[in-house]
Amino acid sequence: MPVASDSPVRLASSLDKLPGIGAKRVRLLSRLGIRTVSDLLRHLPLRHELLSAESSIEELVPDSIGSCRGTVLTTRFVPSMGRGRSRFLVTLGQPGRNVSLTWFNASYLRKKLHPGMTIRVRGKVALYGGYPQLINPQWEDLSPEAESQTPVPPTDDRLRPVYPSTEDLPSSVIEKILTDLLPRVLPGLSDPLPEDFLTHLAMPKLADAFRMAHFPANLDEASAARRRLAYNELLLLQTGMAIKRRYAQTCLRAPALRWSPAIDQHIRARFPFSLTPAQNQVVKELISDLTKDQPMNRLLQGDVGAGKTVVALYALLMAVADRKQGALMAPTELLAEQHFASISAMLAGSDVRLELLTAGQSTAGSAARQEQLQRIATGQADIVIGTHALVSGSVRFADLAVVVIDEQHRFGVRQRAAFRESLTPGTPPAPGSAPGSAPGSSPAPAQAHPPASTIPSPHILVMTATPIPRTLSLTIFGDLDVSTIQGLPPGRTPITTRLVPPEKSDEVYRYLATRLAKGEQAYVVVPTIDAQGVASPAQLKNVRAHAQLLAERYCRDYHVAAIHGRLKRPRREAIMERFRRGEIHVLVATTVIEVGVDVPNATVMIIEHAERFGLAQLHQLRGRIGRGTGGRKNLCVLSAQPTTEDATARLAALVKTTDGFRIAEEDFAIRGMGEFFGTRQSGLPPFRVARLPQDMDLLHLARRDAAAILNGDARLSTPRWQLLRRALYKQYGPSLGLADVA
Ligand code: ADP
Ligand code: MG
């Protein structure tokens, strides 16, 4: 039933239920991501404009009220034709730029406006034939000799919102919709924060904040409103994160692993090198975590090639030394295979039993897979290495103690939660069947709370080569402790990076041949697999054609092979193995080689169409070289002709530095928070108002307040925090898995 046009409106109402917003506008709004009343309320203006603000002609914004001054260059009266209106046309000029003024049925202006006069006008700006035009503007004679007659009335100093808009849905239309809507929504809006709390913070109430954010009386109101709304978002997330963290500390139990100098020695004896001080520091942190019965929840960050794997292996082997199991999850099959190969090599001759479990490796349901699952479930496997197949639901561990998740930027908060759930020993992952497994299974979470200290959990270590800026480690990774490996292992040779225009391709590949002649190997990265589905195949290089070109023209004496995600695993594995053994000299690849692939003899990388890749991705790709210790020159060639500002900045950053931390900061600056860890990857709903890193001060404030609130009321169960609790569960319940927690 449609809602009457003056009745109160609920936040969750979808816009198509509202009268006064037609189907077409509902569709246009949804393109801006606005589907509900709440979305619309949170669609805040980019800025506000003073109605009276005078600008240059250039700055006139179509479809808004504009004001400018200039000299009258020409005037023309067009009498009415038939029943049409008469028009009085004026060309108003500023140096270098003109604008037309049109008045309808205003013949009296013939006597008032003359070429040579200086006037100021104000009116609605319309586009006519692509040029701005003012329709029926108010005007005022500014000529020195003019008596001050008919001044443009001193405007109401109203601030007009300028909304993010589209061509079909201009800001003024959004303004109109909100003008009608706000009075119906705001009175019923409850505030999750108590009044005295807000007074203390000197922040407005939520309803006032929304009113002031859209239609402020002055700019101070607008910024106070924005501050409150951003704080609200940050406080919700910080509270959610803090609840999770407390929950993990008090309700989850992990096995406290045994450790002794003998065990330590035993583990280190497996490594083909001694650990760097940075690695040793992290190992110390791991030992401290793993020997406690509180589950470790740690993020290990370290640049590409920093040597994270061996540190992770230390943790896995601590589980094995205590007769328990470890699991290592990689984001791609190739990387899982790679880990399997290198860890197998390090453990050769030991009695540690390894399993490789990927989707491609043995088909689910096959006899081989069943046997493998059996080995894992009965404890005949010590370390299981795999992809997300590990959390597919059919895998049960006999006694899982340590989980390592590699390259965390591919896995978000939600995946981590799924991991913990499905890997929790003795906890079947079917929703609702066990404590701690089912978001939404407990409608009254506070009562359905299992006795504390009973929910088993493995220790979790997540690793990333994309360093997490401080803001992010406080927000979407806020429930993790962070360890960092600074620098690279000893003996690394630096990588030189060059940006080369595509026309020089011939030179580049001739040079490549000279490097191959010295016994070195190379990666060539191209954006697509084959010509299928590519709009202009002639312009975009693909793996197949490019491998063929290299084999036929530049590398005739060498072995060139192509590798990409569509190849079957055994084939891919065989190719990688031959590349590792040096039988393949040039590997033409898509970004499947982005993470983890480790072939020390590969010293050259050529990336075609480099402008098409993201900064973090290019840094990852480049990290495939420079892994040898032989004192060779590592070269990364970015073949690109960047056309956008962003692409230029990305490539420049890459040429400038190989320091992953600096690159991550550049990336963050170029792309902003939303994009950096894409929302889909983080698994969290995006902020609508808060902007990081700009709102860092608010973030700290929110963090402090969240802790204070929970110190007083750990489960938000008192009436004072009921509304906060409700808002929190609505916003972050599913994504943070809060239903389990409270
Ligand atoms: P990432 O941090 O990118 O995962 P890896 O763990 O793959 O890096 O390590 C990169 C390379 O450095 C590997 O070849 C590894 O064997 C080597 N490496 C790691 N630690 C050391 C060390 N302490 N001394 C010498 N080489 C090391
Ligand atoms: Mg790695």
Side-chain angles (χ1 to χ4, degrees):
M1 199 170 61
V3 189
S5 63
D6 53 352
S7 62
V9 175
R10 283 163 30 90
L11 280 181
S13 301
S14 98
L15 292 178
D16 50 16
K17 298 278 182 331
L18 295 183
I21 305 182
K24 179 159 170 243
R25 282 190 180 160
V26 167
R27 209 172 51 245
L28 293 171
L29 282 164
S30 81
R31 266 193 235 152
L32 287 168
I34 303 170
R35 295 189 178 77
T36 64
V37 171
S38 165
D39 292 340
L40 195 50
L41 203 55
R42 286 178 170 75
H43 188 69
L44 298 189
L46 296 166
R47 59 175 191 280
H48 290 89
E49 273 172 2
L50 216 50
L51 271 181
S52 57
E54 195 179 305
S55 68
S56 69
I57 290 175
E58 253 105 38
E59 289 162 343
L60 291 174
V61 180
D63 198 54
S64 71
I65 303 293
S67 173
C68 60
R69 68 175 66 202
T71 310
V72 174
L73 301 179
T74 65
T75 63
R76 186 155 70 97
F77 180 70
V78 183
S80 68
M81 307 280 279
R83 289 206 280 149
R85 295 174 293 179
S86 73
R87 288 177 295 152
F88 185 70
L89 308 175
V90 167
T91 309
L92 188 72
Q94 282 170 356
R97 189 76 201 257
N98 298 339
V99 62
S100 315
L101 315 176
T102 302
W103 283 269
F104 293 101
N105 292 338
S107 56
Y108 67 94
L109 287 175
R110 279 186 289 180
K111 296 212 178 75
K112 304 224 165 198
L113 285 171
H114 306 287
M117 285 170 69
T118 303
I119 61 172
R120 173 160 66 200
V121 289
R122 194 186 70 197
K124 171 129 180 173
V125 184
L127 273 189
Y128 190 75
Y131 294 96
Q133 212 182 54
L134 291 179
I135 309 295
N136 290 332
Q138 295 170 298
W139 65 279
E140 176 182 4
D141 189 351
L142 298 177
S143 313
E145 65 273 22
E147 290 157 33
S148 56
Q149 20 77 312
T150 56
V152 169
T155 39
D156 51 34
D157 274 334
R158 197 160 77 82
L159 288 166
R160 193 152 187 218
V162 180
Y163 289 99
S165 54
T166 59
E167 200 174 327
D168 301 332
L169 188 69
S171 177
S172 59
V173 173
I174 299 176
E175 179 185 351
K176 170 81 175 62
I177 296 174
L178 275 158
T179 309
D180 296 344
L181 194 66
L182 285 191
R184 297 162 58 202
V185 180
L186 297 186
L189 195 71
S190 59
D191 198 319
L193 300 178
E195 229 172 301
D196 60 313
F197 187 85
L198 291 171
T199 314
H200 192 68
L201 285 168
M203 284 192 190
K205 283 194 230 152
L206 199 58
D208 294 337
F210 276 119
R211 199 266 306 152
M212 297 188 315
H214 289 284
F215 304 114
N218 51 54
L219 287 174
D220 285 347
E221 273 199 8
S223 79
R226 210 204 74 86
R227 212 173 136 73
R228 163 72 213 266
L229 297 176
Y231 173 81
N232 222 56
E233 292 182 334
L234 294 166
L235 182 71
L236 282 186
L237 183 58
Q238 290 301 316
T239 309
M241 286 290 184
I243 286 182
K244 271 196 74 147
R245 213 184 160 92
R246 280 158 193 251
Y247 168 76
Q249 280 164 3
T250 57
C251 299
L252 299 178
R253 280 293 165 268
L257 297 178
R258 282 190 304 132
W259 183 89
S260 66
I263 289 175
D264 182 67
Q265 234 175 27
H266 210 72
I267 293 175
R268 287 175 192 263
R270 286 280 146 206
F271 303 154
F273 37 70
S274 50
L275 299 189
T276 63
Q279 285 170 322
N280 275 323
Q281 174 56 34
V282 177
V283 164
K284 220 153 99 193
E285 290 163 2
L286 291 180
I287 294 169
S288 156
D289 285 356
L290 294 173
T291 49
K292 295 197 179 94
D293 67 354
Q294 249 176 36
M296 171 170 77
N297 200 15
R298 187 170 285 279
L299 176 78
L300 172 55
Q301 54 176 354
D303 209 349
V304 178
K308 296 182 291 293
T309 316
V310 70
V311 172
L313 183 57
Y314 191 105
L316 294 169
L317 289 174
M318 268 183 71
V320 178
D322 206 0
R323 307 244 162 272
K324 295 184 169 57
Q325 293 168 300
L328 169 57
M329 180 159 89
T332 65
E333 296 206 355
L334 196 67
L335 185 52
E337 289 154 16
Q338 176 89 32
H339 278 315
F340 184 74
S342 64
I343 293 178
S344 295
M346 281 193 249
L347 298 180
S350 77
D351 49 11
V352 178
R353 295 158 298 181
L354 290 182
E355 294 283 343
L356 175 63
L357 192 136
T358 61
Q361 169 255 351
S362 65
T363 17
S366 73
R369 172 60 68 98
Q370 287 311 320
E371 282 169 27
Q372 188 177 39
L373 292 177
Q374 194 62 26
R375 288 195 294 278
I376 298 171
T378 55
Q380 288 166 277
D382 298 310
I383 296 177
V384 186
I385 297 168
T387 55
H388 52 272
L390 278 173
V391 284
S392 65
S394 55
V395 187
R396 286 288 163 287
F397 286 85
D399 195 1
L400 182 64
V402 175
V403 172
V404 177
I405 306 177
D406 197 10
E407 306 300 347
Q408 161 72 14
H409 64 290
R410 301 287 189 90
F411 301 111
V413 175
R414 206 194 302 248
Q415 284 85 343
R416 218 159 61 224
F419 214 112
R420 194 187 284 283
E421 276 157 25
S422 78
L423 291 181
T424 296
T427 304
S433 56
S437 72
S441 68
S442 28
Q447 281 114 56
H449 191 26
S453 318
T454 57
I455 303 172
S457 164
H459 296 285
I460 296 183
L461 176 69
V462 294
M463 307 198 288
T464 177
T466 309
I468 317 288
R470 175 106 181 106
T471 31
L472 292 178
S473 67
L474 289 179
T475 51
I476 60 178
F477 295 110
D479 60 332
L480 296 170
D481 297 312
V482 180
S483 292
T484 304
I485 302 181
Q486 289 281 8
L488 296 179
R492 286 306 175 77
T493 36
I495 302 172
T496 307
T497 303
R498 297 239 181 286
L499 179 60
V500 176
E503 309 87 82
K504 296 231 173 131
S505 198
D506 187 62
E507 229 172 280
V508 168
Y509 286 107
R510 277 176 206 290
Y511 175 72
L512 170 64
T514 69
R515 298 288 296 258
L516 299 178
K518 292 183 185 157
E520 295 168 61
Q521 289 168 280
Y523 299 99
V524 177
V525 180
V526 296
T528 57
I529 297 177
D530 51 32
Q532 278 170 23
V534 176
S536 47
Q539 275 146 40
L540 208 56
K541 298 198 169 70
N542 67 70
V543 172
R544 295 211 172 114
H546 203 58
Q548 196 175 353
L549 173 82
L550 296 188
E552 286 169 3
R553 189 170 320 158
Y554 297 100
C555 312
R556 259 173 303 194
D557 302 332
Y558 305 97
H559 197 131
V560 179
I563 192 165
H564 52 77
R566 256 192 257 147
L567 291 179
K568 287 263 170 3
R569 192 191 81 108
R571 175 126 181 70
R572 223 166 49 206
E573 209 177 39
I575 294 173
M576 277 319 295
E577 188 48 37
R578 292 179 58 209
F579 186 62
R580 220 170 282 137
R581 286 208 301 262
E583 294 165 18
I584 289 169
H585 307 102
V586 180
L587 201 56
V588 182
T590 54
T591 53
V592 289
I593 58 157
E594 179 186 335
V595 281
V597 174
D598 189 8
V599 179
N601 192 48
T603 52
V604 179
M605 173 170 285
I606 297 165
I607 304 177
E608 294 285 350
H609 305 286
E611 75 282 353
R612 300 180 68 92
F613 300 102
L615 185 47
Q617 197 174 26
L618 287 168
H619 178 63
Q620 291 277 342
L621 282 168
R622 181 173 60 179
R624 298 309 106 212
I625 58 171
R627 306 195 139 228
T629 51
R632 285 155 151 167
K633 285 191 297 179
N634 299 289
L635 176 68
C636 176
V637 177
L638 306 171
S639 174
Q641 198 114 62
T643 51
T644 67
E645 212 174 284
D646 275 10
T648 309
R650 284 200 302 270
L651 297 173
L654 234 88
V655 170
K656 195 168 65 192
T657 179
T658 52
D659 178 340
F661 284 83
R662 277 177 59 196
I663 285 179
E665 269 156 34
E666 297 264 353
D667 204 19
F668 194 42
I670 295 171
R671 289 198 287 164
M673 160 106 174
E675 291 280 314
F676 188 76
F677 278 83
T679 338
R680 229 176 300 133
Q681 280 153 5
S682 83
L684 297 177
F687 294 138
R688 299 301 287 249
V689 185
R691 291 282 168 268
L692 293 170
Q694 297 90 311
D695 287 325
M696 197 67 182
D697 64 320
L698 279 178
L699 178 65
H700 283 296
L701 192 65
R703 194 172 160 78
R704 189 200 69 187
D705 292 347
I709 291 171
L710 293 174
N711 280 341
D713 180 3
R715 291 195 200 154
L716 304 181
S717 50
T718 60
R720 181 170 170 80
W721 300 113
Q722 273 318 291
L723 293 175
L724 176 65
R725 176 191 171 88
R726 192 144 37 114
L728 176 63
Y729 278 70
K730 210 159 87 192
Q731 180 71 356
Y732 289 116
S735 53
L736 286 180
L738 291 180
D740 318 351
V741 167

